[in-house]
Structure formats: C-alpha cells, structure tokens
Amino acid sequence: TLKDPHYPDHDLGIILLSVILTPKEGEHRDVELSENEVFGFHFSVQSFFWRFQTQSLRLSDQHRKSHLWRGIVSITLIEGRDLKAMDSNGLSDPYVKFRLGHQKYKSKIMPKTLNPQWREQFDFHLYEERGGIMDITAWDKDAGKRDDFIGRCQVDLSSLSREQTHKLELHLEEGEGHLVLLVTLTASATVCISDLSVNSMEDQKEREEILKRYSPLRIFNNLKDVGFLQVKVIRAEGLMAADVTGKSDPFCVVELNNDRLLTHTVYKNLNPEWNKVFTFNIKDIHSVLEVTVYDEDRDRSADFLGRVAIPLLSIQNGEQKAYVLKNKQLTGPTKGVIYLEIDVIFNAVKASLRTLIPKERKYIEEENRLSKQLLLRNFIRTKRCVIVLVNAAYYVNSCFDWDSPPRSLAAFVV
C-alpha cells in the first residue's frame, strides 16, 4: 500500500508484485533463502524500481509521447487593442507567443500597428486533468536586433468550464493594452493502452461484459457510448529508411477522431514489433480509424513514414490483416506494410441515432515543421542535378579542347 507520511489519510493506491522463485534445472529441492539472500533479493528489487523510475522520468521529459490526452484546448487569437508603441515611428510590429507545458505556438507578425487583427486558430493538447496554466507573451519584432517585450498574461484553464467557448479580454501585465481570445476546452473520450498479453477481448468474462454493455436491450444507457473498439498493433515490415544510416526509429500513432494514442519507439529498425493493444469508446460508427507510422527524431518533429485509414464499418472482427502504408493524402502507396487485428462491438440502435447528429469535428494538428526526410530527398535531387550540369560543362569544354577532333569539328559546324 502506497503511503505519504505528510498526508497519512490520502488513499494513494497499491502496487501488486508477483514473485516466483524457481530452482535451476536438475535441482529438485525446497528453496530456502538465507538472511543474506533475502537482503540481496530485496536490494535487487529496489534497484530495479529505481532504474525503472529514473528511465521513465527521463524518457517522459524528452519525448512525452507516453502521455495520454485529457482533452483539447482550441484557441483563436482575435486581436490586440492599444498595445504599447516600441518603435520610433510610434507603432509596433507585434506577435504573440503561447506556451502550455512543452507545447508552444507563435503567431504571425502584424507590421506597423498598435491594434493588430490576427484571426489565427490553433490547438493545444491537455495532458493534465485540471488543465494547467497557459502563458502568453506579446513581442515587437525588430530586424537585426533583439525583439522588444510588450507584455504578458496568463490563462488558468482549470477555471474554465468544458464544452463551452469563452471570450477572454486579457490585460497585458508589465506593459500596455489587451489581447482578445476565444478559448474552448473539449474533453477526450476514454482511451486505453496495454501490452498484447493483457487485453480484455481474450478474457471470456470481460468479452461477455462488453457484449452485454452494447446489447440491443441497453439502448437508453448512455446514448453517446455507441460501441467499443480494440486495435492490436502487432508489427510493421519493410518501412522506409528515414535516417542517413539507412534505418528508422519507428513508432505508431493510433487515432479515432480526437482520441490519439502512441506506441513506444523501436530504434534502428525497419521491421519493428510493437505488440500493443489500444481500446477506444466509439461515439460514431461512421468514424475512420487512422494508424500512422512516424520516425522519431529527438531534436525535431517526427518524420512521416506511412498511414492507413480504415472505416469502422469495414472491419472484420478478429482478423489479422496486413495493410499497405500510404502517403499523407492516402492517394498512393508508400514503402512498407503494417499488421493489425481489430475488433468492433457496437449497439446498432445507438449507432443509427448517432447518425442523425453532425459528425465530430477533427481538430487542427500542431503546425508542421521541417521534415528531415524531405530535406534529405531534396538534397539528393539537387545533388543529381548539379552532377548533370557539371558533366555537361565538362562535355562542352572538351569540344573546345579538341579531345575528339570529329566531335569538336561537328560542334563548330553546328
């Protein structure tokens, strides 16, 4: 049982540890641990948890891919009013920076104005249950020198109600003027991730509970909960090499509308095995499941390797299939295949009623950054063009050097 000495009344849960002691092959005797052996075992368990905790903290700080969304913050930067003049002409060239945890956004620059009209919309992902604090700073763009600070403000997202758009007029502290924003918090549906060895559909009792939950008799029990989706992401084969070493560091993203889960990364491998199980609550049976494979880049945004889009109504339950990965627009194949096994259970009456409600809006993704894969491809293409031009120059030059008299004579005649 987990306890905190500073808060003895708080229920912090429990950790279950199963320990099996097995004698070596050929030894058929009762195992008795001496006091030293018990201490050594206790020490090794403590060391294991210390290493695991340290590694988990380090990985989550670096990549934060293991964090699950709690919801989405949709922000519209409308305008600024009466901002502070920072230039000699009595005006400014303002832009705004937003920060929520590790996520950042920078608006476009509005030249020579104290009342800028941005009209920009973007989204942040909520990783904390209560929302957190969003920091906002306004700056004046200066060419050739450091940008001038105009002012700052904050938004406490935990104080805003969900599923509602809030119009905020925020005063800039340490400066002058106001910023006008629209902020909407949208909750994410229940999602889950586990290893392949632990999944609810293979447990007969759990499967019967799920079938009972979505049986025709339970029509009026939570109309928004239409069905249950389980996705087994098993492995991929023959992926594209995104790194200069001829390998990739692939991980997989599974999306259903605005719910999004990720696998771990398999480093330096073009045939990764993930063996992960994802479960989602279905709100619309006409939704499309998207599975995307990326190459992890620690210093930049991930590189796209391929995607598949699977309508829920086309899924054959319990069938393991190899899906050919396609490009971002899903118009043609790219390199590699991914193996998935998918199960869909839903209430047909609820699904029919949900059809009458408008389709859930898919929120805007984070702004695309420089793609290392695209940069490498363009570099190779430019290199080939340069080689062709250099060879052409050598050929023309050889005509004037009379390396081949017939060719030079023909060139002069032409």
Side-chain angles (χ1 to χ4, degrees):
T1 302
L2 300 174
K3 294 291 184 182
D4 186 340
H6 300 292
Y7 303 96
D9 297 329
H10 285 197
D11 181 15
L12 302 178
I14 61 172
I15 289 180
L16 298 179
L17 174 64
S18 175
V19 180
I20 301 174
L21 296 177
T22 307
K24 295 180 181 178
E25 270 187 64
E27 296 184 12
H28 301 284
R29 60 180 177 83
D30 292 336
V31 180
E32 292 185 5
L33 295 180
S34 67
E35 193 172 327
N36 290 337
E37 288 173 322
V38 171
F39 172 77
F41 171 76
H42 177 69
F43 175 77
S44 63
V45 171
Q46 280 191 327
S47 301
F48 165 75
F49 277 114
W50 181 83
R51 288 198 305 271
F52 175 79
Q53 184 183 25
T54 305
Q55 184 184 23
S56 298
L57 288 173
R58 185 169 65 250
L59 289 175
S60 65
D61 286 342
Q62 284 184 356
H63 309 302
R64 296 180 182 270
K65 294 203 312 300
S66 59
H67 291 192
L68 308 183
W69 294 3
R70 302 290 184 180
I72 295 171
V73 187
S74 181
I75 301 167
T76 303
L77 174 60
I78 300 178
E79 63 183 4
R81 296 176 184 169
D82 304 320
L83 300 184
K84 188 176 181 179
M86 306 302 294
D87 296 336
S88 56
N89 58 5
L91 299 173
S92 293
D93 304 314
Y95 66 92
V96 180
K97 290 181 180 179
F98 294 82
R99 184 185 182 97
L100 180 63
H102 68 284
Q103 302 171 94
K104 299 177 184 177
Y105 182 84
K106 179 181 175 182
S107 76
K108 59 190 176 185
I109 300 167
M110 305 300 292
K112 298 179 181 178
T113 179
L114 298 180
N115 297 285
Q117 301 287 317
W118 282 288
R119 304 292 197 269
E120 289 186 55
Q121 194 274 333
F122 58 95
D123 294 334
F124 281 153
H125 301 145
L126 276 177
Y127 292 98
E128 298 180 23
E129 188 69 40
R130 298 186 63 187
I133 302 293
M134 181 170 60
D135 292 306
I136 307 170
T137 52
W139 300 81
D140 167 57
K141 180 66 177 176
D142 283 331
K145 59 179 181 178
R146 190 174 180 180
D147 294 348
D148 297 320
F149 176 76
I150 295 178
R152 73 169 70 247
C153 55
Q154 290 184 330
V155 177
D156 184 0
L157 299 177
S158 63
S159 65
L160 303 179
S161 57
R162 300 207 172 203
E163 311 298 341
Q164 181 180 345
T165 299
H166 305 269
K167 184 176 182 180
L168 306 178
E169 186 172 333
L170 305 172
H171 173 70
L172 289 173
E173 301 173 2
E174 305 174 37
E176 299 175 8
H178 296 78
L179 294 178
V180 181
L181 312 174
L182 294 179
V183 181
T184 307
L185 276 69
T186 304
S188 181
T190 305
V191 291
C192 173
I193 178 171
S194 64
D195 289 322
L196 193 59
S197 58
V198 184
N199 70 84
S200 55
M201 296 294 283
E202 289 185 1
D203 187 326
Q204 188 59 34
K205 188 175 180 181
E206 287 288 334
R207 187 179 181 88
E208 288 175 1
E209 284 293 326
I210 294 170
L211 289 170
K212 184 179 177 181
R213 191 195 315 166
Y214 300 106
S215 67
L217 300 177
R218 305 190 70 175
I219 301 172
F220 300 105
N221 185 21
N222 192 359
L223 287 174
K224 291 184 179 180
D225 186 11
V226 170
F228 173 88
L229 169 67
Q230 177 178 276
V231 185
K232 295 181 183 177
V233 181
I234 300 167
R235 69 183 188 277
E237 292 180 356
L239 295 179
M240 187 187 307
D243 299 334
V244 292
T245 58
K247 298 287 185 179
S248 292
D249 302 322
F251 67 93
C252 193
V253 178
V254 183
E255 295 176 270
L256 184 67
N257 296 323
N258 288 306
D259 296 324
R260 186 175 189 256
L261 292 174
L262 300 88
T263 68
H264 61 283
T265 301
V266 180
Y267 292 98
K268 301 185 186 306
N269 201 319
L270 299 181
N271 302 289
E273 290 191 13
W274 292 292
N275 293 321
K276 291 293 181 183
V277 180
F278 302 87
T279 62
F280 300 86
N281 280 355
I282 300 172
K283 293 179 284 186
D284 186 356
I285 196 60
H286 299 285
S287 299
V288 176
L289 174 70
E290 293 187 14
V291 182
T292 311
V293 182
Y294 292 95
D295 167 64
E296 182 186 292
D297 193 331
R298 300 192 181 205
D299 300 323
R300 305 179 190 86
S301 58
D303 291 314
F304 176 86
L305 297 181
R307 173 180 292 162
V308 294
I310 308 164
L312 297 185
L313 287 173
S314 70
I315 290 171
Q316 300 294 322
N317 283 353
E319 181 181 351
Q320 185 180 137
K321 291 183 66 176
Y323 294 88
V324 176
L325 292 172
K326 297 185 178 182
N327 56 25
K328 286 186 178 181
Q329 294 75 31
L330 301 171
T331 55
T334 183
K335 197 173 180 183
V337 296
I338 187 167
Y339 288 85
L340 306 173
E341 184 179 326
I342 310 173
D343 285 277
V344 175
I345 296 174
F346 66 97
N347 184 297
V349 178
K350 287 185 185 179
S352 301
L353 294 173
R354 180 63 182 79
T355 306
L356 304 175
I357 303 172
K359 185 179 178 182
E360 181 180 353
R361 174 172 163 247
K362 182 79 181 264
Y363 288 90
I364 297 172
E365 291 296 324
E366 293 176 6
E367 186 178 3
N368 292 326
R369 299 188 181 99
L370 177 66
S371 170
K372 180 180 64 178
Q373 181 182 340
L374 181 62
L375 183 64
L376 180 63
R377 191 160 62 241
N378 288 339
F379 174 77
I380 294 172
R381 184 184 296 127
T382 305
K383 182 181 176 182
R384 288 174 181 168
C385 293
V386 171
I387 291 173
V388 169
L389 292 174
V390 169
N391 290 337
Y394 276 127
Y395 182 83
V396 172
N397 188 57
S398 67
C399 293
F400 291 96
D401 290 342
W402 293 88
D403 292 339
S404 173
R407 189 178 65 203
S408 299
L409 181 62
F412 275 109
V413 169
V414 171

